[in-house]
Amino acid sequence: MEPPPLDRSHSHALAPPPREVALTLRGAQVVLRGDRSMFWPERRWLVVADLHLGKAESLRRDGIALPDAVMAADLARLQLAVSESGAERILVLGDLVHDAPGLTSAMVRRVAAWRASIDCEIALIPGNHDRRVTELPREWRVEELPVQLAEPPFVFSHEPLSALGGEAPFNWHGHLHPVRTVRGGIDRARLPVFAIHAGAAIIPAFSTLTGGSECVDDPHARLWGVVDGRIVALPTVARESGNGG
């Protein structure tokens, strides 16, 4: 006798996580994206942090043979984010570049060619790594801003401006490279995250060639992990420890 057909009507296959999540913070809608960027639709700004362009070149000077493909992949991901979101401005919250030795002539040319393909403004709030460079290449056409930018209800910076909470303007910043280690049985994974606090949000490092600071528990925060271009809600955590790289 043939076995009966398999009944799949009660299948519990999970749908894949979304590629973006919309949040309302201080009355403004923002979109967290699985490419590690934040999009602010009202301003049409794409906000990123910690690209560390030239880090591979800098490490190669120290004898570590890293390929050029890392920076190329990060820039391609940023270009796709601009195209998908329709952003009119990229706002970089610090550490666009890694250091002066990483600004080789070949690297400068590659970034300039990429910049020529991006039809939007690029503005930079300088970070601690950017301050290691006297001047950015002019052909990159990057507008350099003060160390903080107020655009109500938000204020943007590289490093955190104050304690996380209170009635001050909501602070978006980078620098800390927040990550979260998730575990299941004997398995574990370390995920870059958006850490959303009562008064501030930390954006993950856009560069894939960076370390990170592990988040510690805080029941009042929201944490969104980035996995293969998708956004995953994680157990609530918050204040980061350590410094960005």
Side-chain angles (χ1 to χ4, degrees):
M1 178 181 295
E2 291 291 327
L6 182 62
D7 182 6
R8 299 183 184 275
S9 60
H10 299 291
S11 175
H12 295 288
L14 295 176
R19 294 191 178 277
E20 57 184 38
V21 171
L23 303 176
T24 300
L25 300 171
R26 300 284 177 93
Q29 186 184 68
V30 298
V31 179
L32 309 183
R33 296 174 47 91
D35 52 31
R36 308 191 191 193
S37 67
M38 182 274 278
F39 183 58
W40 188 6
E42 182 180 352
R43 295 289 187 271
R44 306 206 67 78
W45 288 5
L46 189 73
V47 182
V48 296
D50 301 287
L51 278 76
H52 288 273
L53 300 179
K55 186 171 183 177
E57 285 78 4
S58 185
L59 290 173
R60 280 202 292 269
R61 289 172 62 97
D62 295 328
I64 302 172
L66 294 177
D68 292 333
V70 176
M71 185 181 75
D74 286 343
L75 291 176
R77 183 161 42 91
L78 183 54
Q79 184 173 20
L80 181 60
V82 172
S83 176
E84 290 180 342
S85 66
E88 297 176 356
R89 185 186 221 199
I90 300 172
L91 177 62
V92 182
L93 304 187
D95 291 356
L96 173 66
V97 297
H98 188 66
D99 58 17
L103 293 176
T104 64
S105 58
M107 176 271 193
V108 170
R109 287 195 301 270
R110 285 194 295 271
V111 176
W114 170 86
R115 178 67 179 100
S117 70
I118 300 296
D119 187 22
C120 70
E121 299 175 356
I122 300 180
L124 170 67
I125 294 174
N128 54 303
H129 281 262
D130 300 308
R131 291 190 283 272
R132 299 176 182 179
V133 176
T134 304
E135 184 179 18
L136 292 175
R138 293 184 180 180
E139 57 265 43
W140 291 6
R141 292 183 288 121
V142 175
E143 177 189 3
E144 294 195 50
L145 302 174
V147 293
Q148 54 182 277
L149 172 66
E151 191 73 21
F154 302 134
V155 59
F156 299 91
S157 61
H158 175 59
E159 299 181 32
L161 294 179
S162 61
L164 302 178
E167 298 302 321
F170 192 93
N171 179 204
W172 288 91
H173 66 87
H175 183 58
L176 299 179
H177 305 185
V179 298
R180 178 68 165 180
T181 301
V182 295
R183 295 175 174 84
I186 63 172
D187 298 317
R188 69 176 184 172
R190 201 164 187 248
L191 307 178
V193 299
F194 293 89
I196 312 297
H197 303 266
I202 303 94
I203 294 182
F206 196 82
S207 169
T208 54
L209 190 62
T210 59
S213 298
E214 186 77 23
C215 298
V216 297
D217 291 339
D218 180 341
H220 302 294
R222 286 178 288 175
L223 197 72
W224 300 88
V226 176
V227 185
D228 194 25
R230 296 183 180 273
I231 294 286
V232 179
L234 299 177
T236 53
V237 299
R239 183 188 293 263
E240 284 65 35
S241 60
N243 294 316

